[in-house]
């Protein structure tokens, strides 16, 4: 594993990997771990948006819908050009979720020296993410880590709908460009992470990916 991570790190340079998935697919969990293992920086568009919503006192995502594209550009894209990220590789979590945004994201990433080298989709069944949602929401408030607006099943289902209608075309575009890596997200977190490392390594070396 260490040899594969070192190889990925060399291949990635100061580039970036964009990780996508349904809510509760674990993209932030594996993304944070990957960033740590590669000594990269982790950027989640969802986290940035929620911080900006607090700052502007405008809770636009409370119903599970994506923010307007113009605000996405204004709030998210400047992060690529931050001086404190200049020398780092970036692990992105769903940066550019609405069809059409991927072009601006890729252009900003490339211009800033963080070219997107690959996009990963944690391919997880809707039934599986709903099961995870039910488990998390069965816990007490002190143990629950689910975001506030995901406590409502209706809102969670809207987020799934938004992914299917607006984000899947983004993934199709990455696939057309030969940049999409598919990982089975239905497994336990450790298995998903290991499979993701294997898949990124194979992609970086232009090796055939073994589907387990």
């Amino acid at each position: 594993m260490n040899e594969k991570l070192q190889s990925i790190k060399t291949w990635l340079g100061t580039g970036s990997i964009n990780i996508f998935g349904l809510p509760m697919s674990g993209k932030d969990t594996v993304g944070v771990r990957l960033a740590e293992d590669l000594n990269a920086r982790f950027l989640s568009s969802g986290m940035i948006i929620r911080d900006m919503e607090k700052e502007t006192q405008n809770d636009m995502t409370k119903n599970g819908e994506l923010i307007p594209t113009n605000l996405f550009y204004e709030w998210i894209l400047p992060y690529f050009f931050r001086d404190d990220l200049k020398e780092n590789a970036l692990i992105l979590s769903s940066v550019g979720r609405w069809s059409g945004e991927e072009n601006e994201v890729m252009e900003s990433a490339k211009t800033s020296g963080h070219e997107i080298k690959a996009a990963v989709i944690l391919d997880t069944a809707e039934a599986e993410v709903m099961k995870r949602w039910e488990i998390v929401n069965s816990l007490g408030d002190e143990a629950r880590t689910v975001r506030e607006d995901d406590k409502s099943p209706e809102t969670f289902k809207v987020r799934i709908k938004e992914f299917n209608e607006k984000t899947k075309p983004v993934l199709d575009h990455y696939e057309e460009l030969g940049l999409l890596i598919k990982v089975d997200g239905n497994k336990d977190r450790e298995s998903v992470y290991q499979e993701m490392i294997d898949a990124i390594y194979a992609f970086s070396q232009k090796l055939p990916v073994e589907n387990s």
Side-chain angles (χ1 to χ4, degrees):
M1 174 62 75
N2 287 337
E3 291 181 3
K4 288 184 177 179
L5 285 169
Q6 185 56 51
S7 178
I8 292 170
K9 184 177 180 179
T10 300
W11 162 77
L12 187 58
T14 60
S16 55
I17 297 172
N18 207 354
I19 303 176
F20 293 88
L22 284 166
M24 288 285 177
S25 63
K27 55 186 177 294
D28 282 1
T29 302
V30 298
V32 168
R33 182 174 174 184
L34 181 62
E36 291 174 349
D37 285 346
L38 296 178
N39 195 27
R41 297 288 293 274
F42 177 74
L43 288 182
S44 164
S45 60
M47 292 178 183
I48 295 170
I49 288 167
R50 288 191 289 278
D51 286 343
M52 290 298 295
E53 285 180 321
K54 290 178 182 178
E55 184 177 319
T56 60
Q57 297 183 337
N58 190 348
D59 192 1
M60 289 176 292
T61 61
K62 64 182 179 181
N63 296 319
E65 298 177 349
L66 300 179
I67 66 168
T69 291
N70 64 312
L71 279 182
F72 169 81
Y73 292 157
E74 181 182 338
W75 288 357
I76 308 297
L77 295 187
Y79 275 78
F80 284 108
F81 299 90
R82 284 174 46 158
D83 288 339
D84 61 325
L85 301 179
K86 187 176 181 180
E87 303 300 324
N88 296 98
L90 303 180
I91 303 302
L92 313 173
S93 178
S94 295
V95 176
R97 290 189 248 189
W98 201 325
S99 181
E101 291 177 350
E102 70 275 14
N103 293 317
E104 291 292 333
V105 168
M106 294 182 74
E107 180 61 28
S108 292
K110 185 175 182 179
T111 303
S112 65
H114 301 292
E115 180 181 1
I116 294 179
K117 298 286 190 75
V120 174
I121 170 63
L122 301 184
D123 200 4
T124 315
E126 289 184 23
E128 174 63 23
V129 297
M130 284 302 305
K131 182 174 73 173
R132 294 175 186 177
W133 179 88
E134 290 170 357
I135 291 172
V136 171
N137 275 275
S138 69
L139 304 174
D141 285 338
E142 292 184 3
R144 180 166 48 198
T145 58
V146 67
R147 47 188 277 185
E148 191 68 25
D149 54 357
D150 273 349
K151 291 181 180 180
S152 161
E154 291 77 17
T155 301
F156 189 70
K157 289 175 182 177
V158 169
R159 292 187 64 209
I160 292 175
K161 183 173 180 287
E162 290 282 274
F163 177 88
N164 288 329
E165 293 181 356
K166 296 175 180 177
T167 306
K168 279 189 175 179
V170 173
L171 300 174
D172 291 340
H173 186 61
Y174 279 117
E175 187 166 31
E176 290 170 2
L177 295 174
L179 296 176
L180 189 65
I181 300 172
K182 297 180 181 180
V183 175
D184 185 355
N186 296 293
K187 303 175 182 178
D188 62 271
R189 290 284 185 268
E190 185 62 28
S191 297
V192 170
Y193 185 71
Q194 299 294 331
E195 182 176 322
M196 184 177 70
I197 294 300
D198 290 342
I200 295 173
Y201 172 76
F203 180 86
S204 69
Q205 300 296 308
K206 295 182 168 47
L207 300 174
V209 178
E210 296 182 6
N211 294 317
S212 54

